[in-house]
Amino acid sequence: MAPEQPVFYYDLGDPECYLVGERVSSELAVVPEWEPILARRLGLSVPDAEPAGLRERAAQQGLQPLRWPPVWPPDTEQAMLAATYAKHIGRAVAYSLAAFRQAFAGGRDLGDEGTVLIAAAACEMHPTALLKGMALRSVGAGLARAGERAREAGVTALPAIAMAGAVFTGRDCLEQANRWLASPVGGR
């Protein structure tokens, strides 16, 4: 019996989520569902940046050098509404990776509507459709429900990967999840 699909919970303003996000779809043994959540709505804060350690890990992953957004911590509500809308139209991964890269490779502010639109354009989302989609009550409610699902799953930190009642958090959540999947309990 195959394990259930994991869920990758993330906030676009979190550099740890960025580093895991760049790897999760290709390195996790089971392709995850990407679920955008606002960290602050769960009472989680975006961690203080550790530029040296994060820069080193980004380089080890072969990513562009990290550039910090001018506003820290960023207000990601617009970007997260955009990610939720993107998920509704089947573009969560593409939009989220584009937004992460705008923030942490481009050093742009995700609280700025222009940055949100640039990320959307990178994955062929029309700007007018995106702005209208972000304003939909269903999209706002979807973002709130995602946060509630994360809370119910036991997410206490980001990034997080949840599956079959197990939750793995933090910068090594991907490695923890893969070890669990390879175990007799996780692999079933």
Side-chain angles (χ1 to χ4, degrees):
M1 180 172 162
E4 72 177 56
Q5 184 179 22
V7 179
F8 171 51
Y9 292 103
Y10 62 96
D11 186 308
L12 291 169
D14 187 326
E16 293 289 353
C17 291
Y18 165 58
L19 294 178
V20 171
E22 286 286 355
R23 302 171 36 225
V24 71
S25 290
S26 62
E27 293 182 20
L28 191 62
V30 180
V31 176
E33 170 187 356
W34 284 50
E35 187 72 84
I37 62 171
L38 273 169
R40 72 172 189 266
R41 285 199 188 156
L42 286 179
L44 307 175
S45 59
V46 172
D48 291 334
E50 299 174 29
L54 289 165
R55 283 189 172 98
E56 182 179 315
R57 290 191 355 255
Q60 289 171 350
Q61 286 182 224
L63 301 174
Q64 292 181 0
L66 293 181
R67 293 179 58 199
W68 297 108
V71 176
W72 194 263
D75 176 2
T76 59
E77 186 157 3
Q78 282 191 77
M80 298 305 285
L81 285 168
T84 302
Y85 173 72
K87 183 174 180 174
H88 288 202
I89 64 168
R91 295 223 167 108
V93 176
Y95 171 79
S96 297
L97 286 173
F100 274 139
R101 291 168 184 160
Q102 285 298 313
F104 298 111
R108 294 165 97 40
D109 179 9
L110 287 172
D112 178 74
E113 185 177 273
T115 301
V116 171
L117 293 174
I118 289 169
C123 56
E124 299 181 354
M125 292 171 61
H126 193 279
T128 303
L130 176 67
L131 292 172
K132 286 182 179 182
M134 289 167 51
L136 292 171
R137 278 188 296 230
S138 62
V139 170
L143 182 57
R145 277 193 311 276
E148 287 306 312
R149 282 192 303 274
R151 180 177 282 119
E152 290 167 6
V155 172
T156 59
L158 293 178
I161 298 171
M163 64 187 132
V167 179
F168 309 97
T169 62
R171 71 186 216 183
D172 64 344
C173 64
L174 180 56
E175 292 76 15
Q176 292 173 26
N178 272 328
R179 279 194 299 274
W180 186 83
L181 282 168
S183 74
V185 173
R188 296 186 193 194

